[in-house]
Amino acid sequence: MSAERRFQSQRLPAESENATATLDVYFHVVYANETYEGGYVPDSQIHDQVKVLNQDYNSTGISFNLVNISRIQSEDMFLRVAPDSEQEAGLKKVFRHGNASALNVYTVGLAEGDGQGLLGYATFPMDFAEKPLNDGVVLLYSTMPGSSQPKYNLGRTLVHESGHWMGLYHTFQGGCTGSGDEVDDTPPEESAAYGCPEKRDTCPGGGPDPIHNFMDYTDDSCMTGFTKGQAKRLKAQLRTYRGVDV
Ligand code: ARG
Ligand code: ZN
Ligand code: CA
């Protein structure tokens, strides 16, 4: 709530509803060995992943330009990069590229420690000022389009994590009470939805749960979009904290 109050007081005025911007993207592939299971994803999968980003963000006016793919061999980092781990700090301080508006994506194995079981995680725009080197998205390599992982192999994990990186919360943030995800046109939701539970409705009023929204937890194939309100919020966050002219 204090982050939200700060945002509302610092928020820069809107440009126009139809403003667009292109963000630079830097991919960092961390691998244990040169096999797919070792995290050595082919360039083609990264290009496909950026295509998915561009398609899924098309309605928001944000597009993505892949600038570089770097490859980093480290079994320790592949296995152990996790939120606030020493391996994460070591990786990001050497490889993070660009200013606040550059999206850095680190693909890793999320196999051990606090990262175990995660599909990905991201930093928020507001945190850039204090910890610029920590900024970016950490992504489980096998969530990229075309991997054999069931349910999460259409590349929507990066769409979701990039949503956080642009200041969006989960649709179930705050449950049924209060201002929820701070977006007016996403109905409130009591908890995360998994699979694709059509007609789920967990909160009184507001309508059925937004299970098709990229910021819920449903299967990749269930997710279809962002709302206008989310597009508006992410642009305001990009303007205010990432210096993007949008
Ligand atoms: N932050 C979530 C996790 O790590 C990501 C959910 C992504 N959902 C998806 N369908 N790809 O579990
Ligand atoms: Zn999330
Ligand atoms: Ca909402």
Side-chain angles (χ1 to χ4, degrees):
M1 268 166 78
S2 71
E4 200 52 33
R5 274 197 297 274
R6 188 144 55 103
F7 172 49
Q8 293 310 337
S9 69
Q10 294 172 338
R11 183 177 184 134
L12 298 179
E15 283 211 338
S16 87
E17 285 263 322
N18 305 318
T20 61
T22 302
L23 306 177
D24 285 345
V25 182
Y26 295 87
F27 253 84
H28 311 277
V29 177
V30 180
Y31 64 99
N33 57 62
E34 284 185 31
T35 64
Y36 185 73
E37 292 67 36
Y40 205 79
V41 290
D43 282 2
S44 61
Q45 231 176 58
I46 295 166
H47 290 280
D48 289 346
Q49 174 69 79
V50 176
K51 262 183 222 156
V52 169
L53 275 184
N54 278 315
Q55 280 160 9
D56 285 352
Y57 278 92
N58 182 51
S59 70
T60 68
I62 303 299
S63 54
F64 301 87
N65 172 42
L66 179 61
V67 179
N68 191 54
I69 302 173
S70 61
R71 291 183 182 266
I72 301 132
Q73 178 163 29
S74 166
E75 184 173 354
D76 184 38
M77 286 177 178
F78 177 72
L79 295 174
R80 301 187 190 94
V81 164
D84 303 317
S85 68
E86 142 201 342
Q87 287 82 357
E88 179 193 48
L91 172 67
K92 289 177 168 179
K93 82 165 177 261
V94 174
F95 289 97
R96 194 189 183 284
H97 214 88
N99 60 17
S101 67
L103 174 59
N104 282 256
V105 181
Y106 304 87
T107 67
V108 300
L110 290 168
E112 292 184 16
D114 288 346
Q116 217 178 346
L118 293 181
L119 298 169
Y121 64 94
T123 59
F124 284 97
M126 199 178 277
D127 301 330
F128 183 85
E130 214 172 297
K131 290 174 134 188
L133 286 176
N134 191 46
D135 187 66
V137 171
V138 172
L139 185 70
L140 177 63
Y141 74 97
S142 57
T143 63
M144 302 236 268
S147 92
S148 59
Q149 156 130 250
K151 300 185 191 174
Y152 308 112
N153 66 350
L154 299 178
R156 295 212 155 116
T157 300
L158 185 57
V159 173
H160 174 109
E161 299 308 333
S162 305
H164 291 314
W165 182 81
M166 291 184 258
L168 298 184
Y169 295 126
H170 293 134
T171 48
F172 49 88
Q173 174 90 21
C176 298
T177 53
S179 47
D181 62 356
E182 308 293 342
V183 173
D184 291 338
D185 59 3
T186 52
E189 194 177 25
E190 195 240 321
S191 59
Y194 293 91
C196 198
E198 292 295 346
K199 303 206 179 97
R200 184 182 191 251
D201 192 354
T202 54
C203 294
D209 292 359
I211 63 154
H212 298 296
N213 195 279
F214 292 134
M215 299 315 289
D216 203 341
Y217 269 11
T218 50
D219 293 350
D220 277 14
S221 60
C222 186
M223 296 180 155
T224 55
F226 291 113
T227 64
K228 281 208 160 101
Q230 286 174 315
K232 200 171 157 196
R233 177 179 173 88
L234 71 84
K235 286 187 200 173
Q237 288 265 329
L238 287 172
R239 279 195 310 275
T240 306
Y241 298 115
R242 297 197 179 281
V244 179
D245 199 16
V246 69

